[in-house]
Amino acid sequence: MHKFILILLFVLTLFSCGTDTDTGEFTVGSDYLALSNKVILIDTVTVNMSTINFDSLATSSRGRILIGNYDDPIFGKVKSDSYFQLSTSNYALSSVGSDTESVNYVFDSISMILKYDKYYYGDTTRVQTFNIYRLTQKVKPNKDDNNFYNNSTLTYSPESLGTISYKPRPREKDSINIQMSKEFGEALFQKIKKREVTDFDSFTEYLKGFVLVPENSSSSNVIGFSASESKVRLYYSKYQTDNETPYIIDFSILDASKQFNSISLDKTGTILQNLPVSTGTLSSTLLNNQGFIQSGTGVACRVDFPNIKQFKNISANGAIVDAELILKPINNTYSEKYPLADSLTVYVGDNLNRISGTLLNAAGSSVYGKLSKSTDEFNENVAYSISVGAFLQKEMLKQSDSRSSLILTLPGIAQSVNRIVLGDQKHVNNKIQLKIYYISY
C-alpha cells in the first residue's frame, strides 16, 4: 500500500502541474481512484480532435447506384451522380431463324427500371428529379488499380434520354420506372435487328453507358438503388399478330466494377470551407470545438493522444489494462432526416492520415464505436463508446517518436452520404471523454 501511495503522488506531481498544451496535462483526483488491485482510473488525459478529408474513396464495385442531392445545413451541398456500363447475355431478337422472320419485329418502348435497395438520406417527402444521359466516354478506369473514385467523372452527351420527378418511397415500393427516349430506343433496336450489334464489344462501342444526374433545383435527398437488380428494358413485338405479349431484352450491370458513384461536397460558406485535403488537418479548436464525419465525400474525424508515452513514467512495472473513448454527437445536429449511424468504423492512421488498418483489440479482432441511445432528457447518454486499451498500451510502449492516431468514419464510407458531428474535450455540452485504467505491479 505504501508503494501504491508513492506512485499516486508521483502521478500527481508529474501531470497536474503541467500547462504546456503540446505535452498535455491530466490529473488524478480522489473521486477517480479504484484501490482494488492497485488500479488507477485516469480520465483527464488530453485528447486532440481534428477533421480531415481523404483525397479519394473507391466507389466502384459497391453494388449501389447512389443518386440525388441536398443542401446540408452544416456540411454544404451534397451531390451524387451514378455512372454505369450495361450489357446483356443475348444480343439478338427472340427466336430469329432468318432475316425474313426478323422483319416482323417492331420496337415498342424502352425504360430504365431502378430497384430500391432501402438506403436513403435526407428529406424523402420532397420531390427528386434526375435525368439519364448517354456516355460519350467508355467506362474504363485510367488508373492502374482498376477502381473508380468519388471524384471520378466521365464525359456524356447533354441530351437527356429520360427524366423523372418523384417522391422517393424506398421502404414502401419496389422500384421506379423511367420512360426513355423513343428515338434512342428505336435506334438501339434497329442495331440489334440488323445484326450491327452482336456481342459485348460491338454493343459497348455503340452504347458506352449511362450517367444519372440529379437536378440541383429540386432534390432534397439521396437514394440508393440496387446495381445488380436495376436494368434498362427494351420492349418489342411482332407486327400484326394476335400475340399481345411483348418481347423484352434486359440490359443490366453485369460487371460491378463498371458502376461507380461520383459524390461531391461544395463546402463554400460553411464551417468546413477551409478543410485541407489528404495529409492536412483542421483542428476542432477552429471548428467550434467539433469534429466532422461524412461518408461518400471523404470527411473524417481524427483523434490523437499527445502524451500517452508519459504513462511509462508512472511506474517501473505498469500497464494500461483497459481504456474507453466516449464520443458524443452534438445536440440538434441529428434528426429523423439525418439519423445517427449505429456504429463508427475506427482506423489507425499516421501523422499524414495514411491508414494502416482497422483498430484491433488485444485478441486481434476489429473494434467499432458502439452507439448507446439510453433515454434521457438532454441526450447526455447518446454516445459512441470505443475500447482503446490495447491501442494505447501499444502507443505507450513505442520506442520511436512516431505516434498513431485514430481515424473515425461511418460504415459504408464509399456508398452512402451519412454524416455526424462530434464534440471535443472543450465542447460545452458534448465533451469527448477518455477513461484509462492503469495498473502497477
Side-chain angles (χ1 to χ4, degrees):
M1 183 67 183
H2 178 68
K3 179 182 176 182
F4 176 72
I5 294 173
L6 289 177
I7 292 171
L8 178 56
L9 290 175
F10 177 73
V11 170
L12 287 167
T13 303
L14 182 62
F15 296 107
S16 64
C17 297
T19 58
D20 187 348
T21 56
D22 289 334
T23 60
E25 58 181 89
F26 63 83
T27 60
V28 181
S30 59
D31 293 337
Y32 309 118
L33 297 182
L35 298 179
S36 175
N37 296 321
K38 300 181 181 179
V39 174
I40 306 173
L41 167 58
I42 305 170
D43 66 354
T44 51
V45 179
T46 296
V47 180
N48 292 336
M49 178 180 285
S50 57
T51 299
I52 65 174
N53 201 171
F54 294 123
D55 180 56
S56 59
L57 301 172
T59 60
S60 52
S61 300
R62 302 293 174 173
R64 172 175 291 161
I65 295 172
L66 196 64
I67 176 71
N69 67 294
Y70 68 98
D71 289 348
D72 191 288
I74 299 173
F75 286 72
K77 298 180 184 297
V78 182
K79 181 173 180 283
S80 181
D81 305 333
S82 193
Y83 296 78
F84 47 87
Q85 178 191 83
L86 297 175
S87 54
T88 186
S89 57
N90 184 21
Y91 298 90
L93 302 184
S94 177
S95 301
V96 174
S98 65
D99 292 339
T100 302
E101 186 178 355
S102 69
V103 172
N104 295 326
Y105 289 108
V106 294
F107 169 76
D108 290 335
S109 64
I110 189 169
S111 63
M112 182 175 289
I113 302 168
L114 299 177
K115 184 176 178 61
Y116 288 116
D117 75 350
K118 309 303 181 184
Y119 174 80
Y120 62 93
Y121 204 72
D123 186 358
T124 57
T125 66
R126 299 279 299 276
V127 171
Q128 180 187 120
T129 301
F130 65 83
N131 288 276
I132 305 169
Y133 296 101
R134 183 175 182 171
L135 296 181
T136 56
Q137 182 179 355
K138 285 188 176 181
V139 186
K140 182 179 180 180
N142 54 12
K143 292 181 179 273
D144 295 334
D145 60 5
N146 294 320
N147 287 321
F148 288 96
Y149 296 85
N150 62 320
N151 53 7
S152 298
T153 59
L154 299 172
T155 58
Y156 57 89
S157 171
E159 179 185 0
S160 174
L161 297 180
T163 302
I164 187 171
S165 295
Y166 72 110
K167 286 185 178 180
R169 295 291 183 267
R171 293 190 177 275
E172 300 173 14
K173 294 187 176 182
D174 179 72
S175 60
I176 61 173
N177 189 306
I178 309 105
Q179 291 298 311
M180 298 179 67
S181 163
K182 288 186 177 181
E183 291 76 14
F184 163 76
E186 176 70 40
L188 175 59
F189 174 77
Q190 291 298 330
K191 286 286 183 181
I192 297 173
K193 182 177 179 179
K194 295 177 180 179
R195 307 302 291 158
E196 295 176 8
V197 167
T198 58
D199 55 21
F200 174 78
D201 290 337
S202 57
F203 174 72
T204 54
E205 188 63 36
Y206 173 71
L207 180 59
K208 296 174 175 60
F210 296 104
V211 59
L212 309 182
V213 181
E215 290 190 0
N216 291 329
S217 59
S218 60
S219 181
S220 297
N221 46 67
V222 177
I223 308 297
F225 298 95
S226 170
S228 62
E229 298 182 82
S230 298
K231 65 195 71 176
V232 168
R233 176 166 287 177
L234 188 152
Y235 298 86
Y236 64 100
S237 58
K238 281 188 176 181
Y239 180 65
Q240 292 184 339
T241 65
D242 294 331
N243 183 9
E244 297 181 357
T245 302
Y247 298 94
I248 64 171
I249 301 177
D250 282 342
F251 302 92
S252 306
I253 303 171
L254 299 182
D255 184 351
S257 69
K258 298 299 177 64
Q259 183 274 321
F260 70 95
N261 302 308
S262 180
I263 308 170
S264 62
L265 174 63
D266 182 356
K267 302 183 288 290
T268 305
T270 72
I271 193 172
L272 293 171
Q273 65 179 353
N274 296 321
L275 181 64
V277 295
S278 190
T279 60
T281 64
L282 190 58
S283 172
S284 60
T285 59
L286 301 176
L287 297 172
N288 296 334
N289 300 120
Q290 299 171 128
F292 297 80
I293 305 173
Q294 185 176 53
S295 295
T297 63
V299 178
C301 183
R302 174 173 152 173
V303 177
D304 290 271
F305 309 90
N307 30 293
I308 197 64
K309 289 185 179 181
Q310 296 183 29
F311 271 68
K312 288 189 294 186
N313 300 324
I314 296 178
S315 173
N317 296 298
I320 295 173
V321 292
D322 196 9
E324 181 184 22
L325 185 66
I326 302 170
L327 302 117
K328 296 186 177 182
I330 302 297
N331 294 339
N332 302 316
T333 62
Y334 54 93
S335 62
E336 186 176 351
K337 293 179 185 178
Y338 311 113
L340 294 175
D342 291 333
S343 62
L344 296 177
T345 304
V346 188
Y347 297 97
V348 177
D350 64 10
N351 63 321
L352 297 178
N353 304 325
R354 294 173 299 195
I355 290 176
S356 60
T358 58
L359 178 66
L360 303 177
N361 60 21
S365 301
S366 296
V367 176
Y368 300 91
K370 300 177 181 179
L371 178 63
S372 171
K373 290 184 178 179
S374 300
T375 303
D376 65 294
E377 183 178 358
F378 301 104
N379 294 326
E380 293 180 353
N381 294 326
V382 177
Y384 293 91
S385 175
I386 306 173
S387 178
V388 295
F391 169 78
L392 293 181
Q393 170 70 5
K394 184 177 179 180
E395 287 296 296
M396 182 186 74
L397 296 178
K398 268 186 178 179
Q399 297 299 315
S400 66
D401 293 331
S402 65
R403 294 173 180 163
S404 296
S405 59
L406 298 182
I407 296 178
L408 312 177
T409 69
L410 294 169
I413 183 175
Q415 60 186 43
S416 62
V417 291
N418 296 55
R419 47 75 154 176
I420 191 172
V421 186
L422 302 168
D424 71 2
Q425 248 180 346
K426 295 184 179 180
H427 193 273
V428 175
N429 298 312
N430 305 106
K431 292 181 175 66
I432 189 173
Q433 293 178 288
L434 176 62
K435 297 180 179 179
I436 297 177
Y437 297 86
Y438 182 91
I439 187 170
S440 61
Y441 52 90

